[in-house]
């Protein structure tokens, strides 16, 4: 018994990333899928079983779903694994014939693997605040931070009494999951395709396993050292939207200066918060909320880089200024959940990557001078000083360098991972191409038809690409007055 304890102590002191339980594929089942055009695609569905925390010798095992689709080509190129952003689940796309049809151009070139990252759709990794909703959550950054820190303390206390190891949900574990799966599928080398946080994982795979990654596609790229955003990203983006509003005859007569309107409404809500009635998603009961400048800043931060939401924002602000809170109520209902739920995996993965001290100092300096404070980093900034620190096997705060052929794709209306941030990342890539999709937000850059159907397949075939600008579509702003439709907030 003493010998076992000594061996475990040595392993932990060495900080080794050895697996104490070997990764394996389980419950593998061959399956045939059909697109909406009735095209048949052969594949398999299975699970990757891995330790929840490879650094913890007593870690439990977790299972991660994958779907491996076989290429329609007679001589397939290098296989590509897709890493989703957001919640991290992507395998659902194969169950929908319409969604699967969107990937045909890729399947004409390569095998395609969808892989749900650890924690995706795992309800046990979400903490729900069961006490009264914090009345001031949408009022100010100070009150929002204070409440979120209470949730963090409750989360850490709750999870300490469970077998769940929250430290296992970080970008390095996720990157090792990717390489384990591709190795077990029999692929010595492969291509990565990461969207948003999926690009964060992808770049970590490229750092840890450069010999295995032959090519990389990074959409809405978020490098590990860029885990926290600069407040000026939001400021600059509002200025960009203001230019669009000023040149649009549908709204520019009523909103000649969008930036000035934003400033006025922020000041108005600071002096007199809006009163809205929303439905508590936990109880189903109506509840009254006050929305102050932080609530509006949170809405802008989350919705102003989505091409489907940008067209209604002038009307939202115009109506708030006039005391009409119908649209604001819809947006507040959508975003109030930040005060009710804490996604443990998401918080841990973001904070494990962290930000270099110099970057965080610049963030705080900008936040102190911004009308919007540090909303661009909420809720991560609120949890940052209270979350347990973690050590990765590489320095995530150092800008990445790579000679792996890489295709960057960025929407020009993306304020989360803006063009300037991607260009900063690109400096460390000696063999990179950047396609900028005009008028695409963070969520739309991936789905530009020219980019998806032409450039990405060509890149996977090894064809030479040049920097280019593609076009998503014209944005049509909604009139700020009168009866209109076209967005859920207008119903």
């Amino acid at each position: 018994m003493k010998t076992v304890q000594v061996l475990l102590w040595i392993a932990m002191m060495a900080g080794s990333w050895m697996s104490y339980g070997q990764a394996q594929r389980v419950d593998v089942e061959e399956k045939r899928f059909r697109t909406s055009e009735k095209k048949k695609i052969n594949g398999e569905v299975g699970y990757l079983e891995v330790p929840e925390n490879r650094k913890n010798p007593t870690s439990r095992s977790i299972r991660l779903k994958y779907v491996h689709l076989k290429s329609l080509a007679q001589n397939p190129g290098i296989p590509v694994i897709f890493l989703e952003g957001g919640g991290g689940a992507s395998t659902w796309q194969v169950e929908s014939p319409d969604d699967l049809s969107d990937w045909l151009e890729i399947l004409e070139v390569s095998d395609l693997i969808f892989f749900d990252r650890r924690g995706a759709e795992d309800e046990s990794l979400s903490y729900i605040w069961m006490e009264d909703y914090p009345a001031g959550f949408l009022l100010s950054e100070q009150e929002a931070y204070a409440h979120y820190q209470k949730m963090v303390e409750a989360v850490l206390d709750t999870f300490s009494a469970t077998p769940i190891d929250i430290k296992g949900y970080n970008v390095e574990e996720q990157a090792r999951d990717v390489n384990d799966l591709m190795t077990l599928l029999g692929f010595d080398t492969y291509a990565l395709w990461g969207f948003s946080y999926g690009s964060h994982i992808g770049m970590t795979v490229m750092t840890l396993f450069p010999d295995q990654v032959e090519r990389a596609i990074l959409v809405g790229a978020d490098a590990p050292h860029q885990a926290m955003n600069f407040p000026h990203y939001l400021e600059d983006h509002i200025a960009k939207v203001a230019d669009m509003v000023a040149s649009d005859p549908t709204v520019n007569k009523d909103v000649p200066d969008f930036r000035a309107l934003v400033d006025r409404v922020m000041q108005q809500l600071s002096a007199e918060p809006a009163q809205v009635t929303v439905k508590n998603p936990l109880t189903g009961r109506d509840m009254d909320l006050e929305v102050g400048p932080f609530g509006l800043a949170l809405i802008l931060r989350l919705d102003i880089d989505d091409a489907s939401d940008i067209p209604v924002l002038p009307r939202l602000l115009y109506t708030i200024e006039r005391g009409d809170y119908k649209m604001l109520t819809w947006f507040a209902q959508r975003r109030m959940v930040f005060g009710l739920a804490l996604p443990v995996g998401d918080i841990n993965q973001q904070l494990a990557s962290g930000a270099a001290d110099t970057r965080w100092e610049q963030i705080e300096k900008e936040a102190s001078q911004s009308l919007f404070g540090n909303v661009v980093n909420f809720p991560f900034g609120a949890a940052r000083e209270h979350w347990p620190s973690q050590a990765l096997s590489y320095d995530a705060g150092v800008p990445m360098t790579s000679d792996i052929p890489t295709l960057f794709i960025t929407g020009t209306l993306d304020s989360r991972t803006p063009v300037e941030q991607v260009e900063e990342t690109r400096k460390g890539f000696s063999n990179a191409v950047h396609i900028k999709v005009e008028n695409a937000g963070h969520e739309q850059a991936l789905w530009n038809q020219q980019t998806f159907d032409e450039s990405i397949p060509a890149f996977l075939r090894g064809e030479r690409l040049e920097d280019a600008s593609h076009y998503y579509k014209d944005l049509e702003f909604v009139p700020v007055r009168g009866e209109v439709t076209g967005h859920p907030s207008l119903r």
Side-chain angles (χ1 to χ4, degrees), residues 84-85 117 170-171 174 195-201 349-350:
E84 182 62 278
R117 73 169 176 260
N170 64 57
V171 70
Q174 292 157 345
F195 168 61
S196 193
Y197 184 75
S199 72
H200 196 97
I201 300 171
Q349 67 193 16
Q350 197 80 0

Side-chain angles (χ1 to χ4, degrees), residues 94-110:
V94 301
E95 305 298 340
S96 164
D98 288 339
D99 289 308
L100 185 56
S101 291
D102 291 337
W103 297 88
L104 280 174
E105 285 75 14
I106 310 304
L107 288 165
E108 294 287 355
V109 178
S110 304

